[in-house]
Amino acid sequence: MKAAFIDKPHSLNIIDRDIPSFSSREALIKVHACGVCGTDLHIYEGVMPWAKLPLIPGHEFSGVVVDVGKYVDSVSIGDVVVVDPNITCGLCRYCRSAKRNLCPNIESIGVTRDGGFAEYVVAPISQLYRVPSGLSLDEAAFTEPVACCLHGITRLSIKPGEDVLIVGAGPIGLVHLQLAKRTGAGRVIVAEVNDMRLKLAEKLGADLTVNPSEGGTVETVKGFLKGKGVEAAIDAAGGSTPLTLALSCLEPGGRLLVFGVASENDTWTIKPYDIYKRELTIIGSFINPYEMDSALNLLASGAIDVKPLISHVIKLEDLEKALKREIPNTIKVLVKP
Ligand SMILES: [Zn+2]
Ligand SMILES: [Zn+2]
């Protein structure tokens, strides 16, 4: 089979290798589409400490089951599936207290074991979810990122009528925008430095879009809200600069969701007095423990529309270009191996 193989940082080759073997409780999946995620860029650049190289990356994929292990009866050959890439141990105290995303023994398809940027991928059957009829496999490839956003938005617990700021309008920010609207947010404001992405945010229902590179963002946000800030903010970009912007736009008593993946060495300067006096809450969100089914429901029902987020569909051979950030104006790049 053809596969995209990263042997060391900044080195990706399309290789030919045997179709992988699988154990008695695993399934072999023919990959239909696999989304390129920021995590893949970080793995390629060698700044994802969690990744284990050499590796076939790719963790946001959909496909068809083409073979199953001998003890598998929950899925059959021909089933159309998506995969939760994060495999947890089930034995640690996090797994046994409804916090399985915090499992210290976590293995992750496309991060610590071979993933979906290949013609075939192997996954334990515990990770498989059947795709509801009516949902295309291209859209289904978004299930994992939508599930992660759902986990974050649930932790942020937006109440109906609250104003929300989202910093970053990549695929993650644009899913958060739709989820925030669905949860009953009042006005949803999107800040993003790329004007093409801002336009899409506007189309998808943002009440105000602002480009922080033009300066004066906090004033623009507060002007739009007639002098107040937002009750909730989401960093969907990653790093100290978007976090500072998001924090500055919060109302007293506001909540900030740290969702974007900052690089490991990034640090963030905040004033403890500000957190204290304005009684702010900072919330983390890591992957998704139990949201895959709900994400599929949101996609299949059309409540979350990811079709406008597919900006490019490319071949495996062009993956490195995407990982080198050489494809301009991307939202979500789907790879069809
Ligand atoms: Zn991802
Ligand atoms: Zn565990």
Side-chain angles (χ1 to χ4, degrees), residues 249-307:
C249 291
L250 282 179
E251 271 284 270
R255 306 168 321 272
L256 168 63
L257 182 70
V258 181
F259 192 94
V261 184
S263 68
E264 205 205 3
N265 300 321
D266 197 4
T267 54
W268 181 29
T269 306
I270 49 175
K271 288 183 181 161
Y273 183 81
D274 190 34
I275 307 293
Y276 157 76
K277 181 66 174 41
R278 292 204 291 144
E279 209 172 62
L280 303 178
T281 305
I282 298 173
I283 303 162
S285 180
F286 177 59
I287 61 175
N288 85 94
Y290 308 101
E291 284 84 358
M292 290 289 287
D293 272 318
S294 303
L296 276 170
N297 290 349
L298 286 165
L299 288 165
S301 68
I304 299 295
D305 186 7
V306 291
K307 286 190 294 295

Side-chain angles (χ1 to χ4, degrees), residues 35-40 59-60 85 144-145 148 172 332:
V36 177
C37 170
T39 296
D40 301 314
H59 59 274
E60 301 179 358
E144 192 267 347
C148 293
I172 290 296
K332 178 60 89 181

Side-chain angles (χ1 to χ4, degrees), residues 88-96 100 102-106:
T88 48
C89 76
L91 300 170
C92 71
R93 72 189 142 102
Y94 304 97
C95 282
R96 301 208 290 184
R100 63 180 281 267
L102 306 180
C103 174
N105 309 312
I106 199 162

Side-chain angles (χ1 to χ4, degrees), residues 17 47 73 112 185 203 219 243 309 326 330:
R17 64 149 63 166
V47 293
D73 54 13
T112 65
K203 253 195 216 156
E219 295 70 26
L243 283 169
L309 311 191
E326 285 173 1
T330 57

